Amino acid sequence: MEAVAEGLWGLADEFEKKGEIGKAVKCLEAICQSHASFLPIVEVKTRLRIATILLRHSHNVNHAKSHLERSQLLLNSIPSCFDLKCRTYSLLSQCYHLVGAIPPQKQILYKALHLTSAAAPDVSAKLWCCNFNSQLANALIIEGDYQNSISTLESGYVSATQICYPELQMFFVASILHVRLLMQWDDQTANEVERALQRCNQVWETMPSDRRAHCMGLLFYNELLHIFYRLRVSDYKNAVKHVDKLDAAMRQDSKSRGQLTRFTTTTTTSAGNDSLEPTYFGNAKRALQDKLFLAPPPINGEWLPKSAVYALVDLMIIIFGRPKGNFKECDKRIQSGIHIIKEELIRLGITDDVREVDLQHSAIWMAGVYLMLLMQFLENKVAVELTRSEFLEAQEALMQMKNWFIRFPTILQACESIIEMLRGQYSHSVGCYNEAAFHYVEAAKITESKSMQIMCQAYAAISYFCIGDAESSSQALDLIGPVYRMKDSFVGVREEASILFAYGLLLMKQQDLQEARNRLAKGLQIAHVQMGNLQLVSQYLTILGNLALALHDTGQAREILRSSLTLAKKLSDIPTQIWVLSVLTGLFQQLGERGNQMENDEYRRKKFDELQSRLADTRSSIYHIELIDKVKLQVQQFHEIDMKRTIADESMRVNLDIPESVGLSTPMPVPSSSRLADLDTGRRG
């Protein structure tokens, strides 16, 4: 009967090569359903092969799970077969993971770890120990048990060290950094995060350079974690070198992959020594050159598929390039990233008519990753288009975000506050300050992020200042006063820069001009030196130029305002240009420079007319009222998605924490220049 099994295994391989998966499975199931008696080990190998094929080529996880559970029962009666047992436990754990059954996954992994601890301490046992510790740590993360997850990863690191395997050591220390950085970081654990970062650097540097060159998955993983750390501590300048390194690596990898594709032939292996393709991140079968492995067999896991990592690198380039006004490069990266993501969503079966309730359970996590990335690209597109006053383009991108959220409300639950914030920025940009304040306040209520709450409160205060009446100024004071008193407890400089801007406006309202100048000067230094945000620098310079003019320091006012105008032109920021030009007109009027005043005011009127034309087109759009309307997003509630909510919330919260965009909106100017020097900064020009 052994020869019959070998023949059916070979036939199944041929069918799988041809893509005839149903026939391959039927060949193998013929062995399991035969009335003839096969040895238990033959049936185990066959069922293992069936499960592998199903996980590679279909969403039929439960069918695969049934075969693996039967294999496990058969193996209980066999005293040896260490490798087969480990392979079965590993695949069965992955099946439980895909269906969201975390308790049985943990149970099977503890059983597997017990098996490895009782085996001879050879390389094979230690490698399987690394595999099971990696999967167990992932399961513990999903349950929110971060401390035990770190302990489990430390156990994996010990096993990797015992067999002198630096790639695996790097995998575990990077995973520990991931947990500490993106899931566990608070004021009490900041030192542990720093130590985890240094540990990654040490292990990476101890690896020979020729071995590092073959660890592309680890390179991308490690560098992205470093970028996230630099973003968290607002060290933008040092983050850039990691972004540049990743971009260069991505280009080189793309070039190498193009060359490899021409010479690669597809091979498959027999049921006895088949490589177990990991299933953490979706079931789509991808060629080896399309993977970024984090660790060698038998782990083989990816943090994210290569396409998602590439999109993430594009996103990092956008996040660092947008504040500097590198819009041409940002446009290219946004288009590239959105194209990649939409292709992957189609591969996951997400077409125009698919909604959250239609998703296969095993596709939820991967769909969530790509959908969250898509929302990040669209968010940055909205920010770019608003900066350069392309309001209709911003409308379209924001409506796309809204529609995606309505279709996938639980997976994209974390995006609700971002959409509200962007509705506020859109409303502010088109001069609807009351509506802008409403959406900012709503965003602050929805989000659980302390950072975003602070940013939205600062934004709302600025919008209230722009309304200009006494009641609105009082509301601005109520928002910004308490936050300003807490500013020394903030970790990030983004929050501090936003608060100093809003607080400077408050002090100007209260006619405390010198103190306002001091606060705004400090905010300018943060925006320029630590953030490198040109739009924010331009806005700070404009208001400081306005202050210098009010304090009759005309020389400094002229110098500051010219710098601000240069930056605003670089950014194609029309509202800020008009604001600066209005203040300059007032300056030339004070100095009696009639020629400069007339020339400057003529250019201001030209830009003002251009802006009004764009605003007229924007306000006539069918989406305008829908976006500014003071109504929260209405989402249809679906049934039977409690588990989907759990999986989506956990995966999005702990696995893809990308810091939100930065940048302040500019208040709209009024046509008259007669109120420039009276410091009615609710209108600012």
Side-chain angles (χ1 to χ4, degrees), residues 419-475:
I419 294 172
E420 283 297 318
M421 180 192 71
L422 291 174
R423 290 176 74 187
Q425 290 187 343
Y426 169 81
S427 301
H428 192 111
S429 297
V430 297
C432 301
Y433 305 126
N434 199 296
E435 290 84 355
F438 170 84
H439 292 299
Y440 287 139
V441 170
E442 286 301 314
K445 290 178 184 176
I446 295 169
T447 185
E448 295 180 1
S449 165
K450 190 68 177 175
S451 171
M452 190 169 176
Q453 288 173 2
I454 293 165
M455 300 284 283
C456 287
Q457 285 177 289
Y459 293 159
I462 293 170
S463 293
Y464 278 129
F465 279 132
C466 292
I467 295 172
D469 57 37
E471 181 183 355
S472 299
S473 297
S474 176
Q475 289 173 301

Side-chain angles (χ1 to χ4, degrees), residues 158-171:
V158 170
S159 296
T161 304
Q162 289 171 343
I163 56 176
C164 302
Y165 213 140
E167 290 90 343
L168 278 175
Q169 290 175 282
M170 186 63 201
F171 166 76

Side-chain angles (χ1 to χ4, degrees), residues 190-314:
N191 290 334
E192 283 83 354
V193 174
E194 179 65 32
R195 282 196 290 270
L197 191 80
Q198 294 304 323
R199 193 179 183 191
C200 280
N201 292 336
Q202 291 166 4
V203 174
W204 184 252
E205 290 302 321
T206 59
M207 290 175 62
S209 58
D210 58 328
R211 295 181 72 163
R212 287 204 302 261
H214 296 289
C215 299
M216 291 300 294
L218 281 174
L219 170 67
F220 278 89
Y221 189 37
N222 185 40
E223 292 297 323
L224 281 166
L225 289 174
H226 276 68
I227 291 168
F228 295 156
Y229 172 78
R230 296 298 170 192
L231 285 169
R232 282 291 184 93
V233 298
S234 304
D235 186 1
Y236 300 103
K237 288 190 175 180
N238 281 318
V240 170
K241 65 183 180 183
H242 294 285
V243 175
D244 291 341
K245 187 175 181 180
L246 277 182
D247 191 34
M250 185 172 72
R251 292 174 188 273
Q252 181 59 41
D253 185 58
S254 296
K255 182 179 178 182
S256 302
R257 182 176 54 167
Q259 294 169 345
L260 180 64
T261 301
R262 294 195 294 270
F263 302 104
T264 300
T265 56
T266 303
T267 59
T268 57
T269 51
S270 70
N273 59 4
D274 185 30
S275 174
L276 299 185
E277 182 169 322
T279 56
Y280 290 111
F281 308 113
N283 294 315
K285 184 175 174 64
R286 299 188 303 279
L288 286 176
Q289 62 265 29
D290 291 328
K291 295 175 180 287
L292 282 173
F293 289 120
L294 285 180
I299 293 182
N300 286 347
E302 299 174 288
W303 174 42
L304 295 172
K306 182 178 285 189
S307 59
V309 173
Y310 276 15
L312 196 50
V313 173
D314 279 335

Side-chain angles (χ1 to χ4, degrees), residues 257-387:
R257 182 176 54 167
Q259 294 169 345
L260 180 64
T261 301
R262 294 195 294 270
F263 302 104
T264 300
T265 56
T266 303
T267 59
T268 57
T269 51
S270 70
N273 59 4
D274 185 30
S275 174
L276 299 185
E277 182 169 322
T279 56
Y280 290 111
F281 308 113
N283 294 315
K285 184 175 174 64
R286 299 188 303 279
L288 286 176
Q289 62 265 29
D290 291 328
K291 295 175 180 287
L292 282 173
F293 289 120
L294 285 180
I299 293 182
N300 286 347
E302 299 174 288
W303 174 42
L304 295 172
K306 182 178 285 189
S307 59
V309 173
Y310 276 15
L312 196 50
V313 173
D314 279 335
L315 184 62
M316 293 299 104
I317 291 167
I318 294 164
I319 287 174
F320 286 96
R322 181 175 61 79
K324 293 179 171 61
N326 299 332
F327 294 149
K328 186 176 180 180
E329 183 67 18
C330 288
D331 286 338
K332 185 178 75 172
R333 300 287 182 157
I334 288 170
Q335 290 176 8
S336 167
I338 290 177
H339 176 73
I340 289 171
I341 292 165
K342 288 189 174 178
E343 281 192 337
E344 293 295 336
L345 289 175
I346 290 172
R347 291 179 68 183
L348 289 167
I350 299 177
T351 53
D352 291 342
D353 57 340
V354 172
R355 301 172 75 88
E356 190 172 75
V357 72
D358 304 318
L359 289 179
Q360 292 278 350
H361 196 292
S362 56
I364 291 172
W365 193 90
M366 197 68 258
V369 168
Y370 283 113
L371 286 169
M372 285 294 289
L373 278 170
L374 178 60
M375 297 294 266
Q376 291 280 339
F377 278 101
L378 290 171
E379 176 194 349
N380 278 276
K381 181 170 177 58
V382 172
V384 168
E385 304 301 356
L386 288 179
T387 298

Side-chain angles (χ1 to χ4, degrees), residues 604-644:
R604 183 197 64 80
R605 283 196 300 270
K606 177 184 174 183
K607 302 305 292 185
F608 183 80
D609 291 342
E610 179 185 350
L611 182 61
Q612 291 306 307
S613 175
R614 296 190 185 200
L615 288 174
D617 292 340
T618 302
R619 289 164 181 158
S620 64
S621 164
I622 58 174
Y623 301 129
H624 175 68
I625 297 299
E626 185 176 349
L627 289 175
I628 69 169
D629 195 15
K630 295 201 294 187
V631 176
K632 287 179 60 179
L633 294 174
Q634 300 297 315
V635 177
Q636 178 184 355
Q637 293 299 320
F638 299 109
H639 300 291
E640 299 178 1
I641 55 174
D642 291 334
M643 180 60 73
K644 294 184 181 183

Side-chain angles (χ1 to χ4, degrees), residues 329-570:
E329 183 67 18
C330 288
D331 286 338
K332 185 178 75 172
R333 300 287 182 157
I334 288 170
Q335 290 176 8
S336 167
I338 290 177
H339 176 73
I340 289 171
I341 292 165
K342 288 189 174 178
E343 281 192 337
E344 293 295 336
L345 289 175
I346 290 172
R347 291 179 68 183
L348 289 167
I350 299 177
T351 53
D352 291 342
D353 57 340
V354 172
R355 301 172 75 88
E356 190 172 75
V357 72
D358 304 318
L359 289 179
Q360 292 278 350
H361 196 292
S362 56
I364 291 172
W365 193 90
M366 197 68 258
V369 168
Y370 283 113
L371 286 169
M372 285 294 289
L373 278 170
L374 178 60
M375 297 294 266
Q376 291 280 339
F377 278 101
L378 290 171
E379 176 194 349
N380 278 276
K381 181 170 177 58
V382 172
V384 168
E385 304 301 356
L386 288 179
T387 298
R388 55 191 182 188
S389 304
E390 297 289 352
F391 304 122
L392 290 174
E393 295 287 337
Q395 268 187 6
E396 182 182 348
L398 188 46
M399 284 302 300
Q400 286 186 49
M401 292 184 73
K402 182 179 177 182
N403 292 334
W404 281 109
F405 174 74
I406 290 171
R407 287 171 58 194
F408 300 91
T410 50
I411 289 177
L412 296 177
Q413 191 174 26
C415 294
E416 184 178 7
S417 59
I418 294 173
I419 294 172
E420 283 297 318
M421 180 192 71
L422 291 174
R423 290 176 74 187
Q425 290 187 343
Y426 169 81
S427 301
H428 192 111
S429 297
V430 297
C432 301
Y433 305 126
N434 199 296
E435 290 84 355
F438 170 84
H439 292 299
Y440 287 139
V441 170
E442 286 301 314
K445 290 178 184 176
I446 295 169
T447 185
E448 295 180 1
S449 165
K450 190 68 177 175
S451 171
M452 190 169 176
Q453 288 173 2
I454 293 165
M455 300 284 283
C456 287
Q457 285 177 289
Y459 293 159
I462 293 170
S463 293
Y464 278 129
F465 279 132
C466 292
I467 295 172
D469 57 37
E471 181 183 355
S472 299
S473 297
S474 176
Q475 289 173 301
L477 176 59
D478 291 341
L479 281 171
I480 206 64
V483 175
Y484 179 78
R485 289 191 288 272
M486 297 167 52
K487 69 179 178 62
D488 291 336
S489 64
F490 303 147
V491 174
V493 293
R494 291 173 301 164
E495 301 94 328
E496 187 174 3
S498 303
I499 291 165
L500 286 169
F501 192 92
Y503 194 67
L505 295 180
L506 172 64
L507 292 170
M508 291 173 71
K509 276 281 189 182
Q510 297 172 342
Q511 297 297 308
D512 191 350
L513 304 187
Q514 193 56 54
E515 187 60 23
R517 198 179 198 179
N518 294 338
R519 294 288 180 268
L520 291 167
K522 183 179 179 182
L524 172 63
Q525 184 180 25
I526 292 171
H528 175 59
V529 176
Q530 294 177 260
M531 296 175 64
N533 188 321
L534 297 189
Q535 185 181 24
L536 189 51
V537 168
S538 176
Q539 293 169 346
Y540 262 113
L541 286 173
T542 306
I543 199 166
L544 281 166
N546 200 344
L547 259 174
L549 181 58
L551 294 168
H552 306 293
D553 190 348
T554 54
Q556 188 181 52
R558 186 195 296 262
E559 183 181 340
I560 290 173
L561 292 168
R562 281 181 173 171
S563 298
S564 178
L565 185 59
T566 300
L567 291 177
K569 286 180 177 179
K570 173 180 170 61

